[in-house]
Amino acid sequence: MKKIILTLGAVLAVSFANAQTTNAGTFSKPVAGSSQVEVVFTPNLSGATMFALPSFYGGAAAQGLRLRKFSSDTKAMRYTALLSVNKANADAETEMAVAIGVGVENHMKGASRLSTYWGYEGNLGYSKDAMKMSALGLSAQLFTGCDYYIVPNVYIGCELNYGLSVVSTTPDGGSASTKIGLNPGLSPTLRMGWRF
C-alpha cells in the first residue's frame, strides 16, 4: 500500500509540474515590434529611494521616462522624455524642465536570457528654477549595456556610456556661461524594465 501511495504521489507531482509549463513562461529576447518601458532600480542599502526614472546623459537631476521600440530583432529606437512643472506656493516662481532624447540600440546575439547591446543617443533639454536661472543643454553619447531577463518580460540591466555635453546656464539678469564636458558614465544603479 505504501508503494502504491508513493507511486501515485510521484505521478501526480510530475503531472502537475508538466501542466505548469507553458510558452508564457519561456524566456526570450525582444523581437521586431516589441516595446519596453524602464525605471532605474537601486538596491536599498542606505534607506534611500529604491526606484527612480532614467536620467539623461549630462545631468543626473534630469530624469524622464524611457521607451524602447524594436524595429527588428537586433535594432531598437529608444526615446526618453521629461516634462516637469513645480510651484511651491502662490508667491513662488514656477520651476520647469523639459527634455527629449532619441537613440539607436544595436542588440547582439547571445544567450536566451541575456541581451547585450551598444548604441548612440542625443539629448536636448531646457530648465528654469525658482531663482529664474535657466539652462539649455545638448548632449550626445555612445553606450553599451546588457539586459538580463529575471522572469519572462521583466529584465534588469546596466549601462556604461561616454559622451559629450554642452550646457549654457543663464542666471536671472546675468550673462550666460557655458560648460562643456566629455565624461564616462556608470551609475551605481540597475535598470528594471517591462516588455509588452
Side-chain angles (χ1 to χ4, degrees), residues 50-131:
M50 288 184 67
F51 292 97
L53 297 172
S55 61
F56 284 85
Y57 178 77
Q63 297 178 328
L65 297 173
R66 180 170 294 152
L67 171 72
R68 298 158 105 185
K69 181 72 175 163
F70 283 79
S71 57
S72 72
D73 293 357
T74 58
K75 191 166 291 268
M77 292 295 294
R78 69 194 242 174
Y79 306 97
T80 309
L82 163 73
L83 176 60
S84 174
V85 179
N86 295 306
K87 188 165 183 158
N89 56 51
D91 298 328
E93 287 292 322
T94 302
E95 298 179 9
M96 67 157 304
V98 61
I100 189 161
V102 177
V104 175
E105 296 179 359
N106 298 288
H107 289 255
M108 297 172 265
K109 293 182 178 180
S112 62
R113 293 174 74 166
L114 181 65
S115 178
T116 55
Y117 60 90
W118 67 273
Y120 44 92
E121 179 178 36
N123 300 306
L124 177 65
Y126 172 79
S127 67
K128 184 182 76 141
D129 65 14
M131 310 272 227

Side-chain angles (χ1 to χ4, degrees), residues 7-21:
T7 305
L8 184 59
V11 169
L12 285 173
V14 169
S15 66
F16 280 127
N18 285 338
Q20 299 302 317
T21 304

Side-chain angles (χ1 to χ4, degrees), residues 40-52 188-190 192:
V40 175
F41 171 70
T42 306
N44 191 355
L45 302 177
S46 62
T49 305
M50 288 184 67
F51 292 97
T189 59
L190 295 172
M192 179 174 275

